[in-house]
Structure formats: structure tokens, C-alpha cells
Amino acid sequence: DAGVTQSPTHLIKTRGQQVTLRCSPISGHKSVSWYQQVLGQGPQFIFQYYEKEERGRGNFPDRFSARQFPNYSSELNVNALLLGDSALYLCASSQQTGGNTGELFFGEGSRLTVL
Amino acid sequence: AQSVTQLDSHVSVSEGTPVLLRCNYSSSYSPSLFWYVQHPNKGLQLLLKYTSAATLVKGINGFEAEFKKSETSFHLTKPSAHMSDAAEYFCVVSDQKTGFQKLVFGTGTRLLVSP
């Protein structure tokens, strides 16, 4: 069974550029969440999408945006990149939108370096 | 706000000896707690979860954790460490107040296993 897949795995951008990261959830999962993991820290919640609608947003600026497509895949966009946006961006999928018992299945991440 | 505190940034053990990774939580509600593991260049994998059923939770690969409300703790243990256990471990609480699926991660504990 295919797990959560993310692309690209690594990328390098310069300050001020824009980046798009992609995520395909596990088949049958309708919820996709995005997390940012800065080196040496735990992941921080960015967004959750369910059935193509934003269900939750973390404490991130408006430069961060996302969307979910009819096939439940998702894109995370970051505009006007800053050095501090350098991080591992993790995508996770699950079968449900809310509650607290559903397991999140994580991809291996996209490592973004901003120079 | 719900949060977790991992008391050790690094833990070193010898192969075959017990493992103890400590985590304290802060929550206004009956929490849902998790332990995730992250191997180098890999995504996060769920080890175990507590959702107000049994206080002693058994997970994969011989790990278990005990929920102690009086101590607000959720420590992770394993009787005998294996070299393959070397990884980063995250204690996680589900933020129930938001109404959507948001995980709050601790800062992580790096487990080092020596031969």
C-alpha cells in the first residue's frame, strides 16, 4: 500500500521566491494536514484540509496558503520566502477531520532551504 | 492551551538496557496523548496512543507508556533497547479545543543506543 507521498523531497530557493509543495494522501483518506519542522524542533501545525475545505489553521502568516483537490491531494504554497522558512515540511493524512483519536500518517517530508 | 514538555533533549543507553523517555503534559481536558518516532530522513511513525481507555498503553516494537493523571506524565519505556531504536522521539498531545485535528508536538528526545 502506498503511504503519504510528498514532492519534491528537497529544494533550494532564494529569499523572496515562491514555492509549491505537493502531497498525495493514502488512498481513502480525505483529510490532509501540513506541519513545519524547523531543525531541532518538533513539528508545528500549519493547516488541515478536509473534503477540499480548510478546517483549521495554525499561527502562520498569510504568506502560507494551501488547497485540496477533488482527488484529496494537496498543495502548500509559501510566498515571499524568508530565511526562516527553511524547514522540513510534513504532510499527513487521516480518515477523519476532527476528534482526537484518529491516527495521522506522515509522509517523509519536503526539505526546503532558503538562501 | 494544551502542551507537552519533554524533559530530556538527549538520552543515551546501551543496547539491551531499559529505555525511559520522559514527557509531562498540560491540558484543561482529558487529553489524547501520543508518542511518535522519527528516524533520520524518514517521516513520523506512530508508536502508541492514549485516548482515556487503559492507562498502560502498549505500542509497536516493544514500547509502552503509562498515563499518570496525578503526575501529568506520559513517559515512554522499553525493557531492552535495540540499535534500531536510535531515533528522535516526540511526545504529542491532541489539541481538542480547536474542533479540528491539530497535534501539538514536544521538542523531541534523541535516543542514542550504543553497542
Side-chain angles (χ1 to χ4, degrees):
Chain A
D1 289 345
V4 177
T5 58
Q6 294 186 241
S7 64
T9 55
H10 295 79
L11 69 166
I12 300 174
K13 294 285 186 178
T14 57
R15 282 178 296 175
Q17 286 188 313
Q18 175 264 342
V19 67
T20 298
L21 308 177
R22 298 176 176 82
C23 173
S24 293
I26 291 172
S27 178
H29 286 190
K30 298 181 178 180
S31 174
V32 170
S33 299
W34 288 95
Y35 286 76
Q36 180 196 61
Q37 185 178 16
V38 174
L39 192 64
Q41 298 182 19
Q44 299 283 322
F45 173 78
I46 310 176
F47 288 110
Q48 187 201 7
Y49 275 76
Y50 182 78
E51 289 282 15
K52 303 179 289 295
E53 292 187 2
E54 180 183 307
R55 294 303 183 97
R57 183 187 183 109
N59 188 24
F60 281 81
D62 291 343
R63 299 185 296 107
F64 288 76
S65 64
R67 54 180 175 169
Q68 187 177 32
F69 299 98
N71 66 353
Y72 303 111
S73 67
S74 177
E75 287 182 351
L76 175 70
N77 295 282
V78 186
N79 295 321
L81 285 167
L82 304 174
L83 295 179
D85 296 330
S86 296
L88 181 67
Y89 289 85
L90 296 163
C91 175
S93 75
S94 69
Q95 292 182 316
Q96 61 196 76
T97 174
N100 50 43
T101 60
E103 179 179 352
L104 287 184
F105 294 83
F106 284 85
E108 296 189 358
S110 294
R111 184 166 297 283
L112 170 65
T113 301
V114 182
L115 302 177
Chain B
Q2 301 192 88
S3 64
V4 288
T5 302
Q6 294 185 243
L7 302 174
D8 306 290
S9 60
H10 293 79
V11 170
S12 295
V13 300
S14 299
E15 190 174 24
T17 63
V19 175
L20 170 63
L21 304 184
R22 299 182 295 165
C23 173
N24 287 347
Y25 70 88
S26 174
S27 175
S28 304
Y29 316 89
S30 179
S32 288
L33 295 162
F34 309 80
W35 277 96
Y36 277 83
V37 62
Q38 187 176 35
H39 287 92
N41 301 315
K42 295 290 185 182
L44 292 155
Q45 181 184 22
L46 179 67
L47 279 178
L48 49 82
K49 65 181 181 182
Y50 165 77
T51 55
S52 73
T55 56
L56 183 61
V57 182
K58 293 188 182 299
I60 61 172
N61 299 335
F63 285 95
E64 63 181 35
E66 186 172 8
F67 174 75
K68 292 187 177 180
K69 186 176 180 179
S70 61
E71 300 177 9
T72 62
S73 68
F74 189 58
H75 301 335
L76 182 70
T77 61
K78 183 174 181 178
S80 177
H82 191 272
M83 294 296 291
S84 61
D85 295 328
E88 189 87 17
Y89 291 79
F90 292 97
C91 182
V92 183
V93 63
S94 179
D95 189 342
Q96 303 172 38
K97 190 176 180 181
T98 60
F100 52 86
Q101 197 170 34
K102 175 184 176 182
L103 298 183
V104 178
F105 285 75
T107 52
T109 298
R110 181 166 298 275
L111 177 64
L112 306 170
V113 183
S114 56

